[in-house]
Amino acid sequence: MIKKALAVIIGTAMLNTFTVFAEPAKSGKQAKDVTEFRQALFKLVKSNVGALGAMNKGAIPFNVETMQTNSLRLQQLSLMLNDYFATDTTGFDVDTAALDKIWVNQADFKEKIIALSVAASNLNKVAKAVDTNQFKPAIGQVFKSCKGCHDNYKED
């Protein structure tokens, strides 16, 4: 069942990679709103990876319930990213750390989103199975996917 769900997630994301291109924002207000929605989404991602990172570093003990809850949330949030990057805001002056090359390299950017979805799905699987031997590597994959995107598409 999990494999089927993962296949659907990946297939849908891959379909979007090849068929969906960002539409330019039609107004400054739309560009500002879209940017604020993206930033809110990333704040939610950050709020859920924070505890996972602390667990991975040994700053706090591993907590299965937190792993299960946060990994599910990350999986769901990752599936929203394509929608919130469907509008190209480069034509407007918006307050963002997103680099313009997101819209130039859409296929690569969307591959990074898929990587996050896959890593979050795997983390959720590991958390549900309470596979304590896989907690650290699964969390590490989530952070690796985040870093892959930040390195290329986020202003330092």
Side-chain angles (χ1 to χ4, degrees):
M1 176 100 146
I2 291 175
K3 286 183 182 180
K4 275 187 179 180
L6 186 55
V8 169
I9 290 167
I10 293 170
T12 301
M14 288 180 73
L15 179 63
N16 287 338
T17 298
F18 297 110
T19 60
V20 176
F21 295 95
E23 292 290 325
K26 292 175 180 45
S27 68
K29 181 183 179 340
Q30 181 191 22
K32 181 179 182 261
D33 288 347
V34 167
T35 300
E36 288 175 359
F37 296 148
R38 285 194 284 250
Q39 291 168 345
L41 181 61
F42 283 119
K43 282 182 184 178
L44 290 171
V45 168
K46 182 179 178 181
S47 75
N48 284 280
V49 297
L52 299 174
M55 283 187 249
N56 227 27
K57 292 178 182 175
I60 62 174
F62 279 99
N63 178 291
V64 173
E65 186 176 313
T66 299
M67 293 272 296
Q68 292 171 342
T69 299
N70 291 23
S71 64
L72 178 60
R73 287 177 182 165
L74 286 173
Q75 185 178 0
Q76 293 167 336
L77 292 166
S78 73
L79 296 173
M80 295 179 205
L81 288 170
N82 271 335
D83 293 341
Y84 288 97
F85 278 94
T87 302
D88 179 347
T89 56
T90 58
F92 297 91
D93 184 25
V94 292
D95 184 21
T96 181
L99 298 175
D100 290 349
K101 63 183 179 176
I102 287 171
W103 291 276
V104 175
N105 302 322
Q106 283 188 316
D108 182 63
F109 181 72
K110 289 181 181 194
E111 284 179 25
K112 307 274 191 243
I113 292 172
I114 292 168
L116 176 59
S117 294
V118 170
S121 178
N122 181 60
L123 177 61
N124 188 253
K125 182 179 111 184
V126 165
K128 283 181 181 178
V130 192
D131 188 350
T132 57
N133 292 327
Q134 292 301 310
F135 282 179
K136 282 184 107 101
I139 293 171
Q141 283 303 114
V142 168
F143 279 96
K144 181 180 177 184
S145 69
C146 292
K147 183 178 177 353
C149 201
H150 284 220
D151 286 350
N152 295 304
Y153 298 109
K154 185 175 186 253
E155 200 173 84
D156 288 331

